Amino acid sequence: MSNTINPKSNQMPVGSVQCENTSLNLLKANDFVAKSIRQRLKDVCVINICSSPGSGKTTLMQETGKRLGKDLNIAVLVGDPETERDAVRMREVGINALQIVTGGMCHIEAQMILQALDHINLDQVDLLFIENVGNLVCPAAFDLGEDYRVTLLAATEGDDKPKKYPRMFLTSELMVVSKADLLPHVPFSVDAVTKDAREVNPNLDVITMSSLKGEGMDEWCNWLTEKVQAKKSALELAD
């Protein structure tokens, strides 16, 4: 009898056959659903918000709703492995929000968004946020039918993340350095993180922000308004 112990990840039931490139096939299927979402939301600007846990995504959504709620009709789909707490926080400030409970999954997939669209009122919505599950790895691989991907990086996380998790920053249009009010108290360099991030993605926009103190919020809201207007203009030209 062999004493070799195979890793649990390699163990398969008797009679099973290992499939090659299963992750590739999964992503192709996801991309197909993402295309359907884009066709369905032709007149809605969709922003996928990604980050590690605790970077301030929900607080940013709350403050964005307070500032832009009178000018834009905003809705949010919130991803969380188990609870509905984030959606409740958004509803408390008047934001149209629906929780997607992933049941422990570390990311949202396009099919979850497609199902959720049937359970949230998107009549006259200008801007739909998808608050992804807190994770800098898995969400980077899944297109959710968004127009833009925004990655938050809190000052408390350290400024080495763009090179450690390059795919997330490569697939984003904007990096938000959040919790900027803590910068004087932590070893975090905005210049260094910006340099690293733009070496990964030269076209990446960067905003430094404190949602609680208001720093950078005007720039953020202007960025969002421009993207909403750009999508509406593109739709009018297409018609």
Side-chain angles (χ1 to χ4, degrees):
M1 180 179 295
S2 172
N3 292 324
T4 301
I5 299 176
N6 293 321
K8 292 185 184 299
S9 59
N10 291 340
Q11 294 178 6
M12 297 181 294
V14 175
S16 65
V17 177
Q18 184 173 358
C19 297
E20 299 296 333
N21 298 321
T22 53
S23 61
L24 178 61
N25 293 333
L26 173 63
L27 293 177
K28 283 184 176 179
N30 184 86
D31 289 346
F32 180 81
V33 179
K35 183 178 179 180
S36 298
I37 293 170
R38 287 192 174 91
Q39 292 172 343
R40 182 167 175 176
L41 300 178
K42 288 182 179 179
D43 57 346
V44 180
C45 185
V46 183
I47 309 287
N48 183 5
I49 306 289
C50 300
S51 78
S52 299
S55 66
K57 296 189 298 297
T58 303
T59 301
L60 176 59
M61 294 295 93
Q62 289 177 299
E63 294 304 315
T64 301
K66 292 176 184 177
R67 287 173 176 256
L68 285 180
K70 294 180 180 179
D71 302 315
L72 297 175
N73 193 346
I74 298 172
V76 184
L77 295 175
V78 193
D80 193 273
E82 298 296 344
T83 74
E84 197 176 348
R85 290 181 178 179
D86 291 344
V88 170
R89 287 175 57 187
M90 292 181 204
R91 293 185 201 120
E92 288 174 348
V93 296
I95 299 174
N96 174 20
L98 176 70
Q99 190 80 43
I100 298 174
V101 179
T102 66
M105 287 183 63
C106 60
H107 60 278
I108 298 176
E109 296 179 5
Q111 55 89 8
M112 300 178 187
I113 298 298
L114 191 62
Q115 292 179 60
L117 294 180
D118 292 329
H119 300 279
I120 186 169
N121 183 7
L122 294 179
D123 291 343
Q124 306 302 315
V125 166
D126 304 300
L127 179 59
L128 173 64
F129 287 107
I130 301 170
E131 183 183 320
N132 219 311
V133 178
N135 186 342
L136 287 177
V137 182
C138 303
F142 287 86
D143 184 348
L144 301 182
E146 70 263 31
D147 297 296
Y148 305 96
R149 181 175 292 178
V150 175
T151 295
L152 269 65
L153 180 60
T156 51
E157 293 181 68
D159 52 24
D160 60 347
K161 298 303 180 289
K163 291 292 182 73
K164 294 179 72 173
Y165 306 97
R167 188 171 186 176
M168 180 60 77
F169 296 88
L170 179 63
T171 58
S172 296
E173 282 74 33
L174 173 66
M175 176 178 72
V176 172
V177 178
S178 61
K179 303 187 180 182
D181 51 304
L182 299 178
L183 283 171
H185 311 289
V186 294
F188 186 104
S189 169
V190 175
D191 290 339
V193 77
T194 300
K195 179 177 180 295
D196 276 1
R198 285 183 171 156
E199 286 179 359
V200 172
N201 180 359
N203 299 315
L204 190 69
D205 290 332
V206 179
I207 297 176
T208 302
M209 181 189 304
S210 169
S211 300
L212 292 178
K213 301 295 183 180
E215 177 185 349
M217 286 299 297
D218 287 343
E219 186 178 359
W220 162 247
C221 290
N222 289 339
W223 187 89
L224 292 172
T225 301
E226 289 173 3
K227 301 308 181 188
V228 170
Q229 292 174 346
K231 183 150 190 183
K232 288 183 177 179
S233 298
L235 183 62
E236 291 171 359
L237 290 174
D239 292 339

